[in-house]
Amino acid sequence: MTKNRFITLTIATAMALLLPHTAISRSTRIDVPVMIKAYPEGDACGSGEIVGLNPKGDGFLSVRSGPGGSQYTEIDRLYNGDQVYICGDKGPWQAIVYSPDRALSATCGVTKNWSTDQAYTGPCRQGWIHSRYLKATAG
């Protein structure tokens, strides 16, 4: 092994060990896709903010691969103040779309009207969260 290769591997290993657990990639498999409804006269999705999480508890809200608890995989985590698009519901579960930086972004493609109902396949993340921790802000 060359000296340069050894240094590169050492740095890469050190960086991997120093990354926070939230930076580790999670499965993004969606069991129940977020469906975007056609609203010819308005935005496809409303907007909301994550609220009410106990910072002295675990402090996060699990984003799940379907509208339910532990029977669906946790695919991501959201925190108080994170902003999401609300695109539908199934009981107390909300179908959401959100950008990687957790701020509202037109690049998600849900701030315009859609001509047909279809599963979300855009560039942003999607999943399901419990409505108890979501405050609608528009739409």
Side-chain angles (χ1 to χ4, degrees):
M1 177 181 295
T2 67
K3 183 177 179 181
N4 285 343
R5 178 139 171 86
F6 176 77
I7 291 171
T8 302
L9 285 173
T10 302
I11 291 170
T13 301
M15 288 178 65
L17 292 173
L18 294 174
L19 287 175
H21 292 289
T22 56
I24 295 172
S25 175
R26 297 180 185 277
S27 167
T28 57
R29 188 180 119 234
I30 296 293
D31 294 310
V32 180
V34 169
M35 295 298 294
I36 307 298
K37 299 285 185 182
Y39 292 111
E41 299 188 24
D43 296 345
C45 301
S47 60
E49 182 178 343
I50 305 305
V51 297
L53 299 172
N54 182 354
K56 294 183 182 178
D58 56 21
F60 65 85
L61 175 62
S62 293
V63 178
R64 300 233 170 240
S65 64
S70 60
Q71 72 265 35
Y72 290 105
T73 306
E74 180 186 78
I75 56 174
D76 205 351
R77 292 178 174 177
L78 296 173
Y79 301 88
N80 284 326
D82 288 349
Q83 297 175 324
V84 299
Y85 290 105
I86 307 165
C87 302
D89 61 61
K90 191 168 191 172
W93 293 89
Q94 301 291 310
I96 61 165
V97 169
Y98 58 101
S99 69
D101 65 358
R102 288 16 182 209
L104 298 179
S105 171
T107 61
C108 292
V110 296
T111 58
K112 59 183 171 122
N113 54 23
W114 287 40
S115 57
T116 60
D117 295 357
Q118 56 188 292
Y120 182 74
T121 58
C124 292
R125 298 174 184 183
Q126 64 175 303
W128 295 83
I129 61 172
H130 198 280
S131 60
R132 176 182 307 139
Y133 304 103
L134 181 62
K135 177 179 86 174
T137 55

